[in-house]
Structure formats: C-alpha cells, structure tokens
Amino acid sequence: MTSTDDLSFAADFAPATYDDWRKLVDGVLKGAPFEKLVSKTYDGLAVEPIYRRTANATPIAGRPAAAPWQVMQRIDHPDPAAANAQAIHDLENGASGLEIEFAGGPGARGFGLVDATPETLKRLFDGVVFDAGISIALHPVIGRGNAGESLAGLIEGQHVDPAKVDLRVNYQALSTMAARGIAPAAWKEMEKPFAGVVCGLMGRGFRGPFVLADGRTVHDAGGSEAQELAFALSLAVAYLRMLEAGNIDLDAARAAISFRLTADADQFLTMAKFRALRVLWARIEAACGLAPKSAFVAAETAWRMLTQRDPYVNMLRATMATFAAGLAGADAITVLPHTLALGLPDAFARRIARNTQLVLLEESNLAKVSDPAAGSGGIESLTQALCETAWALFQEIEKAGGVFAALEQNLIQREVAATRAARESSIARRKEVLTGASAFPNLGEVQVAVLDVKPFETAPSGEANIKFEALSPMRLAASFERLRDRSDEILKAKGARPRVFLASLGTPADFTARATFARSFFEIGGIETVGSEGIADPAALAADFKASGAALACICSSDKVYAEGAEEAAKALQAAGARHIYLAGRASEQEQALRAGGVNEFIFAGGDALAALQQAYRLVVGA
C-alpha cells in the first residue's frame, strides 16, 4: 500500500495563480504589450483575456433554484385557425408557453394576428386549457384593439379562475412608440387611462405582470448592452410612477412590471447583461423603500443577429444565446426560428426553436445550477462594469425628464445611432464576422423553405400628434445580403453572376493564402471568382482573363512575387480590358509603381469590404 509520503508529487500540481498565467502569456507575446489582447465592447468596456477569481461572490437571485425556464414559442401566423394549430402542436411537443404576436407590434417582424377581437382570440385559443400550467405572454398593440381585455373576457367566459392562469399581458406603450417614432399624445396624458387598464385586470383577479419594460427595442436598433439596460430601467421607472399615480400600492405596482432583454451570441456579455439588470433593479427597489424581490425577466434571441444567407448558422447563434440567458437566470426564453428573417417559419424551423431549449434543459440540465457565473472573475467584472455604465446612462435619461422626454429630445436615439454606426463600420470591415454573410459564403446554397405567407407592413394607426426619431430595427447582415440579392437578380436575368478574375501568380505556396482570401472577399458580395493559377507570362494571363468573361481582376500572390511581377501582370490585365484591377494585400512601398501599372485598389483584412463590393457593382452593372 502506498503511504502518504509517496504522494509528495501532488505539490507539483498546485493551482496555477494569476501571475503564473501572466508569465505564460507574456512568453507567447514575446515583448508585445499585454494590452494587445484586451478588447473593447461597444460601451467601451475592457474585456481582458485573464481575470482573477472573485472572492466571496454572492449569487444573484434569478428564477427559483433548480427550476426550468419557460420554453416560449412565438405564435405569429396571421390566420387565427392556422395560429391555433401551431399553438396546440407547440404545447403538445415541449413548449410550456405561448408568445402571442399581433401585426404592427415591435416584435412581429411582418407577421402576427391582424386584430385582437374576442372572435379572433376565441379561434386562436380553441382547445387551449388556460389553467393547465401553461404560460401565455400577450403582446397588445396600440390601435389594434385591447387584446388584454378580450382575452380576460374569454377566460372568464370559460369560468376559469383568473388567479390560476399564468398570463402576462405585456402592455408596452413606451417601447412601441420608441420603435415607431410617433406618439398619439404626451405620456402624461396617457398615464391615467393606461393605469386604469392595469387596475381593471388586477381587480378581476389576474396575477400579471401586466406591463413590460422591453429593452429589446434598443438592441434591435443596434444599441449596446448598457444602452439596452438603461432603456429598460427607464421604462420600468416610468411604469412604476404611472401605476403608483393610479393608486396602485407600490409593492403591487412593482409586481405588475416584468422585463425583457435580448440574448445574442456573445455568451459572456449576455450573461453579464441579464445579471446586471437584476442588480440595477434591486437598487431602484431599495431607493423606493422596497425590499428587493426577484423580478420576472424574459429573454428573446436577437433579431439583429439573424442572417438570410446560410440560415442554419442561426441555429448555432440561437443555441449560444439561449445557453447564456438560461445560465444567467432568465425566467422565460423565446427562440426566434432560424428562418424568420426569410419569412414565416415552417413546422421544421419551429421545432428546432423549441428543441434548442429542450435539449439544453433536459439533456444539458442547465437549469440545475443557480447563477454559475458567481465568482467568475470575467463575468463578475463585466457585470459590475455594465451596472456602472448603464446606471450613468439611466441617470442621463432621468435628468432629461424620463424616458418619454428623452425620446422627444432624441437623446436615446442619438446615443443608439452612434453605437449602430460603429457596429455597421465593424461589420463592413469584417471585424465582427457573420458566418455565411460576411465570411464563408456559399453562392450555390439551396433556398430554405418558409410558409407561403407574405409579410405585410402595418402603418401605425391613430393620430401621430408627437413625432421623434424612431429606434428602427436592423439586421447586421442586411448590407451584405443586399449585394447577394443583386447577384441573384443578375444571374436570373443574364444567366451568369458578376465575375472577378483571380490572377494567381507564382507557386501555390505563393498565392493560395491570398487567393483564398480574395475568393471569400468577392463571393460574400455575390461576385463569382474565376481565374488561372501560376501563370507568369503576361500574354497568357491576358488571354485567360479575356476567356473568363470577367470585367474585374484581382492579382493574388506573396509580397516577393508582387515585387517581381505584379506590375507587369497589372499592365497585361489592363491592356486586356479589365475595368478595375485589385491586388490582394496592403499597399507597400511598391504602391506608386503598382498603381502606375494599373492596380486600382488594394484589398486586405480590416479594409472596408462593403464599400469595395458596392463599388464593384457600380463598375460592373452601373448600380
């Protein structure tokens, strides 16, 4: 038997310290500054590669310990009968709740029920047992009828105890007006009747919550994590004041408010954002003289991260977003189907959206651990930084007179627009990569099926007495997708896509890396690549270019080969009729000679790919 003396080797496996890791990192950096590895979020928060463990961290209370989140499923078919069939199927196949979308709502995405009449809701909920433990999240839309009142009447008509119905009537007037850029009246004029609606539902015995502080509007518009948090907090405070002014007890008023944030594919920032919301709301509760209680926080996977091209990658994005929101304590999660950016999702896409959550819940058991990020140096640091930044932005909104006044002054919109512009620049330069859209394109991908239901634009109903800049939704991939759409149109009309000739000089070792880069660069814009490899003779290169049918050319090789033959290659391509000649790589000391030889543009990692591709279309098709 081995004695304890023989176990002295355990000392060789002592836990590595922060300094130990730093020494290893510094060795790899070989004198380069450590700050080279530090990245920044769109809020300017530093994200370091190594953190110390946070000692004595207290878990942030989210949903009840070991309780699963609610698996919510969008119901957005405009036909009530078809929507009913979807709802019944979803509930029978793993969904624990239904998200009811109405046309014209900020999250409808071009679909949703066209009205909220009692007849429509009766058809929608036919066969649904309201008190069977399912959750219903209703999203009433200004000017489309009072969905909350209609559904309450339907439930009461079936003699169901309202207290046994898990119903969230997500009135969200302020975020809807922010998304539309119009308001029927000043918020002060709307507060009293709005509070009266909530009082009415509370008086009928429904538990709620009844008002949604929806940060998603800012996220959809391209905003940052701190901006989304500040907006959600400002909404909640505005609703809290409204309900208190409506003679609702402050404790009951805060219970009538729920939150929704967007979960995207950035796992750590998403987790930090959801954790930060609970910390910040607890601070507001304490300032109101209330003992903090865990608010109901719903999550929805991000609309802006969805791509139309290679949409199956959206499944992976949604999985990461769901993973992050679930671990961060979200009470309910809605996964946007991976084909939603293309149209109304079919049964397959809806099943994947459900199963994304069910696999994480039932096979990965994510809900079994409460706040696993507690003590993690990186996520704790991000949580704290987001709290500080979001609180400062929240104070700015409050100093402006509250969220409605800040919208009237375009304060929120200006800050979101600045972040959106920075984000769009990063996308254009492919510093923020979208697989299938801005990287790794597939010009021959098969079209994905969606239901044959046309999306519709619903103009805001009612009078617009007050106007301000709208927080309009965006998708990150849209600018590149427009180029791909243009390519498809040209292919359909002319039988061929726009082409660029890749003039690969030297040996495969010389040109493979940059030819691969150039192929991806042009094909993300729908420009097909053709070419020759290893031809050194300018006359042969010119002949190959003419035979390719391309109007554009790109020289690809190593810096050494460029020095030896790029100028002559450019002259040959120009003489052969190339309208525009690119060179894969950054401009060097040869730039003047290369441009004199015919090179018009240099393409490289970090350059503005979107602008270059848009210019290419102007050169090829004049538009």
Side-chain angles (χ1 to χ4, degrees), residues 269-516:
L269 272 177
T270 294
M271 292 181 69
K273 180 173 68 177
F274 276 77
R275 298 176 83 244
L277 175 65
R278 295 189 183 278
V279 174
L280 292 167
W281 182 238
R283 183 173 181 178
I284 290 174
E285 289 175 301
C288 294
L290 298 169
K293 291 182 180 178
S294 182
F296 189 97
V297 180
E300 181 178 276
T301 58
W303 164 256
R304 77 183 186 201
M305 74 179 178
L306 292 182
T307 61
Q308 293 178 340
R309 301 292 173 161
D310 202 357
Y312 295 110
V313 181
N314 292 330
M315 297 181 189
L316 303 179
R317 298 183 180 107
T319 299
M320 185 57 69
T322 303
F323 179 89
L327 289 182
D331 295 284
I333 301 177
T334 304
V335 172
L336 300 185
H338 67 282
T339 60
L340 183 58
L342 290 164
L344 191 62
D346 63 5
F348 172 73
R350 296 178 65 82
R351 176 165 66 89
I352 294 298
R354 289 193 308 273
N355 287 352
T356 297
Q357 300 196 57
L358 294 174
V359 169
L360 292 174
L361 273 173
E362 298 179 8
E363 296 186 22
S364 300
N365 293 304
L366 293 192
K368 300 297 184 183
V369 181
S370 297
D371 194 19
S376 166
I379 299 178
E380 291 281 12
S381 177
L382 280 175
T383 300
Q384 181 61 31
L386 277 176
C387 283
E388 293 172 1
T389 305
W391 189 258
L393 293 174
F394 165 70
Q395 288 179 312
E396 284 184 21
I397 294 172
E398 289 298 293
K399 288 177 182 177
V403 65
F404 189 81
L407 289 170
E408 285 187 290
Q409 299 165 31
N410 291 317
L411 170 66
I412 297 170
Q413 297 94 317
R414 284 195 300 271
E415 293 183 350
V416 171
T419 303
R420 178 171 176 160
R423 199 180 297 279
E424 288 174 335
S425 175
S426 181
I427 293 293
R429 295 177 180 279
R430 301 198 295 172
K431 293 181 178 180
E432 188 174 338
V433 174
L434 298 165
T435 301
S438 66
F440 308 107
N442 177 10
L443 293 186
E445 69 180 275
V446 178
Q447 188 173 2
V448 176
V450 293
L451 296 182
D452 187 18
V453 177
K454 291 184 178 180
F456 46 83
E457 295 294 332
T458 52
S461 57
E463 295 184 5
N465 295 322
I466 298 175
K467 296 183 179 181
F468 39 78
E469 293 178 14
L471 288 169
S472 302
M474 54 100 76
R475 283 189 307 104
L476 300 175
S479 54
F480 283 102
E481 289 169 350
R482 282 191 288 271
L483 296 176
R484 294 282 294 276
D485 292 343
R486 184 74 179 111
S487 175
D488 290 346
E489 292 168 1
I490 294 171
L491 174 63
K492 185 176 180 180
K494 299 183 178 181
R497 299 185 187 276
R499 291 181 177 179
V500 60
F501 177 80
L502 300 187
S504 300
L505 309 179
T507 67
D510 293 317
F511 62 71
T512 296
R514 280 177 169 156
T516 301

Side-chain angles (χ1 to χ4, degrees), residues 595-620:
R595 288 192 181 276
V599 173
N600 303 104
E601 190 170 349
F602 298 82
I603 59 172
F604 50 89
D608 193 333
L610 181 62
L613 292 167
Q614 290 170 338
Q615 171 68 3
Y617 272 88
R618 288 190 288 271
L619 291 165
V620 173

Side-chain angles (χ1 to χ4, degrees), residues 174-192:
L174 286 166
S175 53
T176 300
M177 291 185 287
R180 291 179 175 180
I182 61 172
W187 179 239
K188 284 292 183 183
E189 298 175 28
M190 292 186 279
E191 285 181 314
K192 187 174 181 179

Side-chain angles (χ1 to χ4, degrees), residues 21 77 133 145 155 159 250 298 332 365 372 438 508 520 623:
W21 283 109
H77 200 296
I155 293 170
H159 305 291
L250 192 56
N365 293 304
S438 66
S520 176

